[in-house]
Coordinates of all heavy atoms in Angstrom, one line a residue:
N96 N -2.0 -31.4 29.6 CA -2.3 -31.1 28.2 C -2.4 -29.6 27.9 O -3.0 -29.2 26.9 CB -3.5 -31.9 27.7 CG -3.2 -33.4 27.6 OD1 -2.1 -33.8 27.4 ND2 -4.3 -34.2 27.7
K97 N -1.9 -28.8 28.8 CA -1.9 -27.4 28.5 C -0.9 -27.0 27.5 O 0.3 -27.4 27.6 CB -1.6 -26.6 29.8 CG -2.7 -26.6 30.9 CD -2.4 -25.7 32.0 CE -3.5 -25.7 33.1 NZ -3.1 -24.8 34.2
P98 N -1.2 -26.2 26.5 CA -0.2 -25.8 25.5 C 0.8 -24.9 26.2 O 0.5 -24.1 27.1 CB -1.1 -24.9 24.5 CG -2.5 -25.4 24.6 CD -2.6 -25.8 26.1
L99 N 2.1 -25.1 25.8 CA 3.2 -24.4 26.4 C 3.8 -23.5 25.4 O 4.0 -23.8 24.2 CB 4.2 -25.4 26.8 CG 3.8 -26.5 27.9 CD1 4.9 -27.5 28.1 CD2 3.4 -25.7 29.2
F100 N 4.2 -22.3 25.9 CA 4.9 -21.3 25.1 C 6.1 -20.8 25.9 O 5.9 -20.5 27.1 CB 4.0 -20.1 24.7 CG 2.7 -20.6 24.0 CD1 1.6 -20.9 24.8 CD2 2.7 -20.7 22.7 CE1 0.4 -21.4 24.2 CE2 1.5 -21.2 22.0 CZ 0.4 -21.5 22.8
I101 N 7.3 -20.8 25.4 CA 8.5 -20.5 26.2 C 9.4 -19.5 25.5 O 9.6 -19.6 24.2 CB 9.3 -21.8 26.4 CG1 8.3 -22.9 26.9 CG2 10.4 -21.6 27.4 CD1 7.8 -23.9 25.9
D102 N 9.9 -18.6 26.2 CA 10.9 -17.7 25.7 C 12.3 -18.3 25.9 O 12.5 -19.4 26.4 CB 10.8 -16.3 26.4 CG 10.6 -15.2 25.4 OD1 11.2 -15.2 24.4 OD2 9.8 -14.3 25.7
R103 N 13.3 -17.6 25.5 CA 14.7 -18.1 25.6 C 15.2 -18.2 27.0 O 16.2 -18.8 27.3 CB 15.7 -17.2 24.8 CG 15.4 -17.4 23.3 CD 16.5 -16.6 22.5 NE 16.2 -16.7 21.0 CZ 16.6 -17.7 20.2 NH1 17.3 -18.7 20.8 NH2 16.3 -17.7 18.9
D104 N 14.4 -17.7 28.0 CA 14.8 -17.8 29.4 C 14.3 -19.2 30.0 O 14.6 -19.5 31.1 CB 14.2 -16.7 30.2 CG 12.7 -16.6 30.1 OD1 12.0 -17.4 29.5 OD2 12.1 -15.6 30.7
G105 N 13.5 -19.9 29.2 CA 13.1 -21.2 29.6 C 11.9 -21.3 30.6 O 11.5 -22.3 31.0
V106 N 11.3 -20.1 30.8 CA 10.2 -20.1 31.7 C 8.9 -20.4 31.0 O 8.5 -19.8 30.0 CB 10.0 -18.6 32.3 CG1 8.8 -18.6 33.3 CG2 11.3 -18.3 33.1
L107 N 8.2 -21.4 31.5 CA 6.9 -21.9 30.8 C 5.8 -20.8 30.9 O 5.6 -20.3 32.0 CB 6.5 -23.2 31.5 CG 7.4 -24.4 31.5 CD1 6.8 -25.6 32.1 CD2 7.9 -24.7 30.1
K108 N 5.2 -20.6 29.8 CA 4.0 -19.8 29.8 C 2.9 -20.5 29.1 O 3.1 -21.6 28.5 CB 4.3 -18.5 28.9 CG 5.5 -17.7 29.4 CD 5.2 -17.0 30.8 CE 6.4 -16.1 31.2 NZ 6.2 -15.5 32.5
Y109 N 1.7 -20.0 29.3 CA 0.5 -20.8 28.8 C -0.3 -20.0 27.8 O -1.4 -20.4 27.5 CB -0.4 -21.2 30.0 CG 0.4 -22.1 30.9 CD1 1.0 -21.6 32.1 CD2 0.6 -23.5 30.7 CE1 1.7 -22.4 33.0 CE2 1.3 -24.3 31.5 CZ 1.9 -23.7 32.7 OH 2.6 -24.5 33.5
A110 N 0.2 -18.9 27.3 CA -0.4 -18.2 26.2 C 0.7 -17.6 25.3 O 1.7 -17.2 25.8 CB -1.3 -17.0 26.8
L111 N 0.4 -17.5 24.0 CA 1.3 -17.0 23.0 C 1.7 -15.6 23.3 O 2.8 -15.1 23.2 CB 0.7 -17.1 21.6 CG 1.6 -16.7 20.5 CD1 2.8 -17.7 20.4 CD2 0.8 -16.7 19.2
S112 N 0.7 -14.8 23.8 CA 1.0 -13.4 24.1 C 1.9 -13.2 25.3 O 2.4 -12.0 25.5 CB -0.4 -12.7 24.4 OG -1.0 -13.3 25.5
E113 N 2.2 -14.2 26.1 CA 3.0 -14.0 27.3 C 4.5 -14.1 27.0 O 5.3 -13.9 27.9 CB 2.6 -15.0 28.3 CG 1.2 -14.8 28.9 CD 0.8 -15.9 29.9 OE1 1.6 -16.8 30.2 OE2 -0.3 -15.7 30.5
I114 N 4.9 -14.5 25.8 CA 6.3 -14.6 25.4 C 6.7 -13.4 24.6 O 5.8 -12.8 24.0 CB 6.7 -15.9 24.8 CG1 5.9 -16.1 23.4 CG2 6.4 -17.1 25.7 CD1 6.4 -17.4 22.7
G115 N 8.0 -13.2 24.5 CA 8.5 -12.0 23.7 C 8.3 -12.1 22.2 O 8.0 -13.2 21.7
H116 N 8.4 -11.0 21.6 CA 8.1 -10.9 20.1 C 9.1 -11.8 19.3 O 8.6 -12.4 18.4 CB 8.3 -9.4 19.7 CG 8.2 -9.2 18.2 ND1 9.2 -9.3 17.3 CD2 7.1 -8.9 17.5 CE1 8.8 -9.1 16.1 NE2 7.5 -8.9 16.2
E117 N 10.3 -11.9 19.7 CA 11.3 -12.7 19.0 C 10.9 -14.1 18.9 O 10.8 -14.7 17.8 CB 12.7 -12.5 19.6 CG 13.8 -13.2 18.7 CD 14.0 -14.6 19.1 OE1 13.8 -15.0 20.2 OE2 14.5 -15.4 18.2
R118 N 10.6 -14.8 20.0 CA 10.2 -16.2 20.0 C 8.8 -16.3 19.5 O 8.4 -17.3 18.9 CB 10.3 -16.8 21.4 CG 11.7 -17.2 21.8 CD 12.3 -18.3 20.9 NE 12.8 -17.8 19.6 CZ 13.1 -18.5 18.6 NH1 13.0 -19.8 18.7 NH2 13.6 -18.0 17.5
R119 N 7.9 -15.4 19.8 CA 6.5 -15.5 19.4 C 6.4 -15.6 17.9 O 5.6 -16.3 17.3 CB 5.7 -14.3 19.9 CG 4.2 -14.4 19.6 CD 3.4 -13.3 20.4 NE 3.8 -12.0 20.1 CZ 4.3 -11.2 21.0 NH1 4.6 -11.6 22.2 NH2 4.6 -9.9 20.7
N120 N 7.3 -14.9 17.2 CA 7.3 -14.8 15.7 C 8.3 -15.7 15.1 O 8.3 -15.9 13.9 CB 7.4 -13.4 15.3 CG 6.2 -12.5 15.6 OD1 5.3 -12.4 14.8 ND2 6.3 -11.9 16.8
G121 N 9.2 -16.2 15.9 CA 10.4 -17.0 15.3 C 10.3 -18.5 15.5 O 11.3 -19.2 15.3
Y122 N 9.1 -19.0 15.9 CA 9.0 -20.4 16.1 C 7.6 -20.8 15.8 O 6.6 -20.0 16.0 CB 9.4 -20.7 17.6 CG 9.7 -22.1 17.9 CD1 11.0 -22.6 17.5 CD2 8.8 -23.0 18.5 CE1 11.3 -24.0 17.8 CE2 9.2 -24.3 18.8 CZ 10.4 -24.8 18.4 OH 10.7 -26.1 18.7
A123 N 7.4 -22.0 15.4 CA 6.0 -22.5 15.1 C 5.4 -23.2 16.3 O 5.6 -24.3 16.6 CB 6.0 -23.5 13.9
W124 N 4.7 -22.4 17.1 CA 4.1 -22.8 18.3 C 2.8 -23.6 18.1 O 2.3 -24.3 18.9 CB 3.8 -21.7 19.3 CG 5.1 -21.0 19.7 CD1 5.5 -19.8 19.2 CD2 6.1 -21.4 20.6 NE1 6.8 -19.4 19.7 CE2 7.1 -20.4 20.6 CE3 6.2 -22.5 21.4 CZ2 8.2 -20.6 21.4 CZ3 7.3 -22.7 22.2 CH2 8.3 -21.7 22.2
L125 N 2.1 -23.3 17.0 CA 0.8 -23.8 16.6 C 0.8 -24.2 15.2 O 1.4 -23.6 14.3 CB -0.3 -22.8 16.9 CG -0.4 -22.3 18.3 CD1 -0.9 -20.8 18.4 CD2 -1.3 -23.2 19.1
G126 N 0.1 -25.3 14.9 CA 0.0 -25.8 13.5 C -1.1 -26.7 13.3 O -1.7 -27.2 14.3
N127 N -1.3 -27.1 12.1 CA -2.4 -28.1 11.7 C -1.8 -29.4 11.4 O -2.4 -30.2 10.7 CB -3.2 -27.6 10.6 CG -2.4 -27.3 9.3 OD1 -1.2 -27.5 9.3 ND2 -3.1 -26.8 8.3
W128 N -0.7 -29.8 12.0 CA 0.1 -31.0 11.7 C -0.8 -32.3 11.7 O -0.6 -33.1 10.8 CB 1.3 -31.1 12.7 CG 2.1 -29.9 12.7 CD1 2.8 -29.3 11.7 CD2 2.3 -29.0 13.8 NE1 3.5 -28.2 12.1 CE2 3.1 -28.0 13.4 CE3 1.8 -29.0 15.2 CZ2 3.5 -27.0 14.3 CZ3 2.1 -28.0 16.0 CH2 3.0 -27.0 15.6
P129 N -1.6 -32.5 12.7 CA -2.3 -33.8 12.8 C -3.6 -33.8 11.9 O -4.3 -34.9 11.9 CB -2.7 -33.9 14.3 CG -2.0 -32.9 15.0 CD -1.8 -31.8 14.0
Q130 N -4.0 -32.8 11.3 CA -5.3 -32.7 10.7 C -5.6 -33.8 9.7 O -6.6 -34.5 9.7 CB -5.5 -31.3 10.0 CG -7.0 -31.1 9.6 CD -7.2 -29.6 9.2 OE1 -6.4 -28.8 9.4 NE2 -8.4 -29.4 8.7
K131 N -4.7 -34.0 8.7 CA -4.9 -35.0 7.7 C -4.8 -36.4 8.3 O -5.6 -37.3 8.0 CB -3.8 -34.9 6.6 CG -4.0 -35.9 5.5 CD -2.9 -35.7 4.4 CE -3.1 -36.7 3.3 NZ -2.0 -36.5 2.2
L132 N -4.0 -36.6 9.3 CA -3.9 -37.9 10.0 C -5.2 -38.2 10.6 O -5.7 -39.4 10.5 CB -2.8 -37.8 11.1 CG -2.7 -39.0 12.0 CD1 -2.0 -40.2 11.2 CD2 -1.9 -38.7 13.2
L133 N -5.8 -37.3 11.3 CA -7.1 -37.5 12.0 C -8.3 -37.6 11.1 O -9.2 -38.5 11.3 CB -7.3 -36.5 13.1 CG -6.3 -36.3 14.2 CD1 -6.6 -35.2 15.1 CD2 -6.1 -37.7 14.9
E134 N -8.3 -36.8 10.1 CA -9.5 -36.8 9.2 C -9.5 -37.9 8.2 O -10.6 -38.4 7.8 CB -9.6 -35.4 8.5 CG -9.9 -34.3 9.5 CD -10.0 -32.9 8.7 OE1 -9.7 -32.9 7.5 OE2 -10.3 -31.9 9.4
K135 N -8.3 -38.3 7.7 CA -8.3 -39.3 6.6 C -7.5 -40.5 6.9 O -8.0 -41.6 6.7 CB -7.7 -38.6 5.3 CG -8.6 -37.5 4.8 CD -8.0 -36.9 3.5 CE -8.9 -35.7 3.0 NZ -8.3 -35.2 1.7
E136 N -6.3 -40.3 7.3 CA -5.3 -41.4 7.4 C -5.7 -42.5 8.5 O -5.7 -43.7 8.2 CB -3.9 -40.9 7.6 CG -3.4 -40.1 6.4 CD -2.2 -39.3 6.7 OE1 -1.7 -39.3 7.9 OE2 -1.6 -38.7 5.7
S137 N -6.0 -42.0 9.7 CA -6.3 -43.0 10.7 C -7.6 -43.7 10.5 O -7.7 -44.9 10.7 CB -6.2 -42.3 12.1 OG -7.2 -41.3 12.2
P138 N -8.6 -43.0 10.0 CA -9.9 -43.8 9.7 C -9.6 -44.8 8.6 O -10.2 -45.9 8.6 CB -10.8 -42.7 9.2 CG -10.4 -41.4 9.9 CD -8.9 -41.5 9.9
Q139 N -8.8 -44.5 7.6 CA -8.5 -45.4 6.5 C -7.7 -46.6 7.1 O -7.9 -47.8 6.7 CB -7.7 -44.8 5.4 CG -8.5 -43.8 4.6 CD -7.7 -43.0 3.6 OE1 -6.4 -43.1 3.6 NE2 -8.3 -42.2 2.8
W140 N -6.8 -46.3 8.0 CA -6.0 -47.4 8.6 C -6.9 -48.3 9.4 O -6.8 -49.6 9.3 CB -4.9 -46.8 9.5 CG -4.1 -47.8 10.3 CD1 -3.1 -48.5 9.9 CD2 -4.4 -48.1 11.7 NE1 -2.6 -49.3 10.9 CE2 -3.4 -49.0 12.1 CE3 -5.3 -47.6 12.7 CZ2 -3.3 -49.6 13.3 CZ3 -5.2 -48.2 14.0 CH2 -4.2 -49.1 14.3
R141 N -7.8 -47.8 10.2 CA -8.8 -48.6 10.9 C -9.6 -49.4 10.0 O -9.9 -50.6 10.3 CB -9.6 -47.7 11.8 CG -8.9 -47.1 13.0 CD -9.8 -46.1 13.7 NE -9.2 -45.6 15.0 CZ -9.2 -44.4 15.4 NH1 -9.9 -43.5 14.6 NH2 -8.7 -44.0 16.5
E142 N -10.1 -48.8 8.9 CA -10.9 -49.6 8.0 C -10.2 -50.7 7.4 O -10.7 -51.9 7.2 CB -11.4 -48.6 6.9 CG -12.4 -49.3 5.9 CD -12.9 -48.3 4.9 OE1 -12.6 -47.1 5.0 OE2 -13.6 -48.8 3.9
T143 N -8.9 -50.5 7.0 CA -8.1 -51.5 6.4 C -7.9 -52.7 7.4 O -7.9 -53.9 7.0 CB -6.8 -51.0 6.0 OG1 -7.0 -49.9 5.0 CG2 -5.9 -52.1 5.4

């Protein structure tokens, strides 16, 4: 479950700072995608 960050050379890195500027800024490596699911939707689903 280690977060992965990868440049165009395909080499796995484990920190955002370890990849080059182009990929670091040109891809969404981190986001809040599950937040609403975890805080609202899945509890409502369980309650239902």
Side-chain angles (χ1 to χ4, degrees):
N96 290 334
K97 289 183 177 180
L99 299 175
F100 306 90
I101 310 97
D102 238 319
R103 292 187 182 274
D104 59 6
V106 178
L107 301 182
K108 304 291 184 180
Y109 299 98
L111 184 64
S112 60
E113 293 179 357
I114 62 174
H116 177 271
E117 186 271 334
R118 280 297 80 193
R119 183 166 63 248
N120 291 271
Y122 199 76
W124 300 103
L125 298 150
N127 58 1
W128 309 295
Q130 188 167 353
K131 184 178 179 181
L132 175 73
L133 298 180
E134 292 180 355
K135 296 182 179 180
E136 296 168 352
S137 61
Q139 290 172 353
W140 174 80
R141 286 174 176 140
E142 182 179 354
T143 300

